[in-house]
Amino acid sequence: MELRLLVIGSNGPAQFQLTNAILGREEFSKAVTGIPSSMKNTGQLAGRRVAVINGPNIYTKDITEAKRKMELKRSKCLCVPGPHALLVAFDLEQISLNDIQMPKLVTKRFGVNCLRHCMVLLAYEGPLEGGALDDRVLRSDWHLKELVQKFGGRYHVFSKNWRDDRRDVEFLQKVEWMVASGGGSFFSSRTFQRAESSVRKEETRIRRQRAAEMERAGEELEQRFSGEELQRQRQVYDYVVGAEIRAEAEMDNGWLRTSLARGLGTGLAVGAMMGALVGAVEGPGGMVLYGIIGGAVGGAAGGAAQVAIDNLEDRVAPAARLNFNSIFINRFFPSARG
């Protein structure tokens, strides 16, 4: 059975270093300190098949709040029906007072009961042998001690060097023990159930859309193979296409599209209202003109998804955006005219 691991990062590269360590390969380069979208990678940890889900860091300032919420939903879709473990990654040498608030932020995003499925993962540069690190975590550093206690006392120190696999078995045992002590199942909640329902519906929709293509492929296989070989080729084809459809449904489905549309709608409404307020200075004609421009700008902010922003920028001429900004500054901040 595949072990689904949802990795959560506060800031910096720790969560990506953890993913590299779990998969035993450099999935993320050393230069990566954040990603704009959620993603999933698969591999093996100490012989156990795993799926590792990463998303934007919780404290990242590189994306809007709307985009953050969208990617949180996407990360849930990527690990349906739910993660077996939520791995909260930190750099051992850079624990801050902000990080002590992570349990509160994690429960806000995933639910109070998720803490029973959480473990603290600490990235470390130096040697991992001996009891000095455990002593530091549990006794010497009160930041670390309090953080680990809030996550039920579960933690593991891993090497930033992904090639160092000496503690892989120990780490896997800790995760499996945590899962077993929680009833042996994965974590779920109403939002994970909604994500699972949306992914399944999207899979059904895609299968219907691709029905003719899949039927033609089946006919081609029948022309080329027969007997046991035909059965084997069909199984391979069904597995590959099924995995492809599942991956597509996890990345884009009705739940995510509804959230995007709602964000765009809110942004358009708020932006139009602000534009109309600015345009009121120019009279009725200005209200209409700047209301349209404000709606376009607000729609970009409300949507927050990169594809929506790209499409909107294609539709709004750069000159119009610059004109709106300069009029806004000149009207409300006269001193800025120089």
Side-chain angles (χ1 to χ4, degrees), residues 163-284:
R163 294 181 177 84
D164 186 353
D165 60 358
R166 287 173 293 176
R167 306 193 79 186
D168 283 4
V169 172
E170 179 188 348
F171 173 45
L172 179 61
Q173 289 174 343
K174 287 181 179 180
V175 172
E176 290 180 333
W177 175 255
M178 180 177 69
V179 174
S181 63
S185 186
F186 53 84
F187 170 69
S188 186
S189 65
R190 270 184 276 183
T191 53
F192 274 108
Q193 290 166 6
R194 185 173 180 182
E196 182 181 13
S197 176
S198 296
V199 169
R200 287 182 176 178
K201 288 179 181 177
E202 187 68 14
E203 285 184 280
T204 301
R205 187 192 70 78
I206 296 172
R207 285 187 179 278
R208 287 174 182 167
Q209 189 180 57
R210 297 180 60 175
E213 168 201 329
M214 294 167 68
E215 185 176 350
R216 286 194 302 271
E219 292 171 354
E220 290 178 8
L221 289 176
E222 288 177 357
Q223 292 174 2
R224 297 176 59 187
F225 305 100
S226 61
E228 292 184 359
E229 182 61 19
L230 173 60
Q231 184 177 1
R232 191 182 74 83
Q233 291 292 338
R234 278 177 171 170
Q235 290 175 343
V236 171
Y237 176 78
D238 289 343
Y239 175 81
V240 171
V241 171
E244 184 180 302
I245 290 174
R246 178 58 176 254
E248 185 178 341
E250 288 176 346
M251 286 298 291
D252 183 28
N253 54 66
W255 189 35
L256 299 176
R257 288 192 291 269
T258 300
S259 299
L260 174 59
R262 185 179 297 117
L264 281 170
T266 302
L268 286 168
V270 174
M273 180 178 67
M274 290 299 297
L277 286 173
V278 176
V281 180
E282 298 290 338

Side-chain angles (χ1 to χ4, degrees), residues 104-124:
K104 185 184 297 183
L105 296 174
V106 170
T107 55
K108 181 179 179 181
R109 284 161 172 75
F110 299 99
V112 177
N113 294 329
C114 77
L115 289 181
R116 291 181 295 179
H117 296 260
C118 288
M119 181 184 299
V120 173
L121 274 294
L122 301 167
Y124 186 62

Side-chain angles (χ1 to χ4, degrees), residues 41-86:
N41 292 286
T42 58
Q44 288 195 346
L45 172 65
R48 177 79 183 268
R49 182 165 177 78
V50 295
V52 185
I53 296 88
N54 293 90
N57 283 324
I58 284 184
Y59 289 123
T60 184
K61 297 179 180 178
D62 296 332
I63 59 175
T64 65
E65 186 61 27
K67 171 70 169 173
R68 192 194 312 276
K69 290 179 180 179
M70 170 70 75
E71 294 308 321
L72 174 60
K73 289 183 177 181
R74 199 188 310 277
S75 69
K76 293 178 180 179
C77 291
L78 288 170
C79 60
V80 294
H84 293 95
L86 291 87

